[in-house]
Amino acid sequence: MKLNPQQLQAVEYLGGPLLVLAGAGSGKTGVITQKIKYLITNIGYSPHHVAAITFTNKAAREMQERVGRMLPKKSTRGLTVCTFHSLGMRILREEALHIGYKKNFSILDGTDSAKILNELLGGTGKEALYKTQHRISLWKNDLKTPEDIIQTASNEWDRQTAAVYAGYQATLEHYQAVDFDDLIRLPALLLQQNNEVRRKWQLRLRYLLVDECQDTNTCQYTLMKLLTGVEGMFTAVGDDDQSIYAWRGANMENLRQMQADYPQMKVIKLEQNYRSTARILKVANKVIENNPKLFKKTLWSQFGMGEHIKVVACRHEQHEAEWVVGQIVKQKLMGGDKTRYADFAVLYRGNHQARIFEEALRSARVPYQLSGGQSFFDKAEIKDVLAYIRLLANPGDDPAFLRAATTPKRGIGEATLGKLNAYAQQHGCSLYEAALSGEAQSALAAANREHLQQFVALMENYRAHAEHNDAGELITNLLNDIAYEAHLLNNEEGKAGESKWRNVCDLTDWLAKKSRQDGKNIMEIAQTIALMTLLEGKNEEEADAVKLSTLHAAKGLEYPYVFLVGCEEGMLPHADSIKESNVEEERRLMYVGITRAKHRLTITHCIKRKRQGTWQFPEPSRFIGEMPQEDLKILGRKGGAPIVSKEEGRSNLAGLQAMLAAKTQKE
């Protein structure tokens, strides 16, 4: 990678804390990876003393792959390239005893956490559960304890939720478990309170590179400060114009706070864009300049002006979807072998907008991928079954034990698990080993002891046959014994239980087929499933398919052809943001959407849209009005050129499909 002067300066600067303001498409990942190489090969840093921290596993993998291509494997041994949560987990595993946890503590996912909260709330409904879970997460991200909230609460709901928070945290400690937020919160608190541990990690991680620093919450920023110390040997890379995650606790003000905390900090701006045409960047710059600025910057590129940005008024959402899909088919046909379906992205504000585009794409027989769609293996009912499989394969899997023992409910609750945890911690064993112990069982009330013994006897019986039996038959029998189908049907509303049971049946059918074809028992299949879940994201990235994605999920990605749809008041900007006078983040979201496009950007909005069965007539998004009008080609509304009717559009699409089918058949 050839570096421009600003990139080179960012790579070579080691005079103290450095903030790199990296505009969209300005090569920030290249700067981070080149700086890792520079630190190790030119300056002589040991890889053990360098850490690059980002937000997603995908970004971490990309960095690791780039570094791997630049440096021999022996030169990177010990290098840390991971997410904030992975780093927090590493610290917690090593320092668990300092916070009263065992090293193999359990990590609960959102579903497991929700089950605990639902018990504490007394089953008050999904909306109340979601609201409570979200609020507790934000409090944790702000490093606030239940006591902090109770002392400062301005309303009764916060006080009641703080009490639930306290009970929730006590349950986690009983379980020797942490949730996703705790993976950063607990290390931050530990480093704050323990000088010896803090100094140990500062000496280990002597240079820190932090990606997407505009997305850090209070907890993450605190952890970063504690690791870097007063010397501030770090490079933080970010862009205040792309801060779009306030709803999950991200605090753009951390960039301002960084200047106050490190007055000697140097700031370098990366403004040359290596992705988009000059016209796309001109439109993006014009929109974002309406926001107040922490740091002023202007993106530019050497790719020439490029095409005008199309702004298309569609009659309604059905017309919008069919028109967009027609354009994709047309451009794919015109582009020939050089154009792939993966070159196209349809971006929208909310997940609910995807359905109608899915229908249009399926009708046109165009392959597509739904970004952020739930993996089969992430569905709650599948994770329930996998917990039993994992526990059969590895009795030392504490998270699997927690899930299996409590799903379906069988009288094993907080009191039982708390005593098992205490025994396991005292004797250095797993929860399953503790459950087998007569000594641990004797500490339980008679009813609780009986329930635990029944569960252990069930698992021991199936473990005895796990290495030999047909995997599908084994799990089918187990599900019958625990009455899992009845559990789903009794605990889900409407047809949701039936749908979930069908998913479970699909899993057991797959297990049976895998067992017969490959001759694998349940132990071996458990390892196969673990590997599949790790590789699933990679396979998704490689498919040649149109990408359907929310604007939030599209951040960091790029496509030659982008359709930014539903750009109306109430959609983008979102109605809630307008109501709360918080349009600035919506504008940053629009900026992110615009700057995903490399060559061609099309913006659509509907003249009317049906909401809750009623036609509404929204105004085009205010952000369209903020764009330089001379760079727009407006179609379909007053003063603009007409677009084809719905009937003509369908006819054209059918013709294009026929041409595409004939071309494919010929090849």
Side-chain angles (χ1 to χ4, degrees), residues 312-317 320 566 568 604-609 618:
V312 181
C314 301
R315 289 170 177 78
H316 41 67
E317 57 262 49
E320 180 182 45
E568 303 143 22
T604 67
H605 64 92
C606 292
I607 295 170
K608 65 178 181 177
R609 184 180 293 273

Side-chain angles (χ1 to χ4, degrees), residues 555-597:
K555 187 169 176 288
L557 303 176
E558 58 184 45
Y559 305 93
Y561 309 104
V562 168
F563 293 87
L564 193 47
V565 301
C567 294
E568 303 143 22
E569 290 291 297
M571 295 277 275
L572 182 64
H574 193 275
D576 290 346
S577 298
I578 297 172
K579 184 179 179 181
E580 297 164 5
S581 300
N582 184 28
V583 175
E584 290 173 12
E585 181 152 330
E586 296 290 301
R587 187 175 284 112
R588 292 193 291 271
L589 204 53
M590 183 74 170
Y591 175 84
V592 165
I594 294 169
T595 54
R596 297 314 92 198

Side-chain angles (χ1 to χ4, degrees), residues 70-85:
M70 289 190 291
L71 291 170
K73 193 171 183 179
K74 63 180 181 179
S75 299
T76 60
R77 195 168 289 119
L79 175 69
T80 297
V81 181
C82 65
T83 63
F84 269 103
H85 291 91

Side-chain angles (χ1 to χ4, degrees), residues 252-354:
M252 191 176 68
E253 288 299 308
N254 286 340
L255 294 179
R256 196 191 308 275
Q257 186 61 42
M258 200 180 291
Q259 289 184 302
D261 291 337
Y262 301 97
Q264 76 277 32
M265 183 174 70
K266 185 176 182 62
V267 178
I268 297 173
K269 298 179 184 179
L270 303 183
E271 298 174 292
Q272 182 174 359
N273 175 284
Y274 293 92
R275 174 188 300 158
S276 307
T277 64
R279 199 183 305 273
I280 290 171
L281 297 180
K282 180 183 175 185
V283 169
N285 288 330
K286 193 68 175 175
V287 169
I288 203 64
E289 73 179 21
N290 290 278
N291 271 4
K293 292 281 190 176
L294 280 176
F295 305 94
K296 184 172 176 57
K297 64 181 180 304
T298 304
L299 293 181
W300 61 277
S301 83
Q302 294 180 325
F303 292 150
M305 284 304 290
E307 300 179 15
H308 280 70
I309 282 73
K310 281 185 181 177
V311 178
V312 181
C314 301
R315 289 170 177 78
H316 41 67
E317 57 262 49
Q318 183 77 35
H319 182 211
E320 180 182 45
E322 290 175 355
W323 186 84
V324 167
V325 172
Q327 292 296 302
I328 291 172
V329 172
K330 179 180 177 181
Q331 290 173 30
K332 172 71 170 68
L333 188 62
M334 292 173 63
D337 294 337
K338 294 180 181 178
T339 305
R340 305 172 67 241
Y341 283 119
D343 293 338
F344 298 90
V346 180
L347 308 181
Y348 37 79
R349 176 63 176 84
N351 277 310
H352 67 279
Q353 294 170 258

Side-chain angles (χ1 to χ4, degrees), residues 23-55:
S26 62
K28 67 179 178 64
T29 303
V31 167
I32 293 172
T33 53
Q34 288 285 345
K35 187 149 194 172
I36 292 172
K37 177 183 176 183
Y38 183 76
L39 289 167
I40 294 171
T41 59
N42 294 62
I43 306 303
Y45 270 83
S46 165
H48 293 85
H49 293 153
V50 179
I53 315 300
T54 188
F55 278 81

Side-chain angles (χ1 to χ4, degrees), residues 140-143 188 216-223 249-251 254:
K140 286 191 173 191
N141 290 337
D142 279 341
L143 283 178
T216 55
N217 56 40
T218 299
C219 198
Q220 289 159 337
Y221 179 64
T222 300
L223 181 62
N251 185 2
N254 286 340

Side-chain angles (χ1 to χ4, degrees), residues 162-222:
V164 173
Y165 176 13
Y168 170 67
Q169 212 53 38
T171 302
L172 292 186
E173 290 171 13
H174 273 307
Y175 286 4
Q176 282 284 290
V178 300
D179 63 16
F180 201 56
D181 297 314
D182 283 335
L183 289 175
I184 302 172
R185 184 183 72 92
L186 292 176
L189 291 175
L190 175 62
L191 267 59
Q192 268 185 341
Q193 298 162 5
N194 191 311
N195 294 337
E196 183 181 340
V197 173
R198 180 172 68 249
R199 190 60 185 156
K200 169 186 170 181
W201 283 92
Q202 287 175 350
L203 289 173
R204 181 179 300 183
L205 304 179
R206 298 184 183 180
Y207 201 94
L208 213 61
L209 300 106
V210 181
D211 189 22
E212 304 283 15
C213 61
Q214 81 280 351
D215 291 334
T216 55
N217 56 40
T218 299
C219 198
Q220 289 159 337
Y221 179 64
T222 300

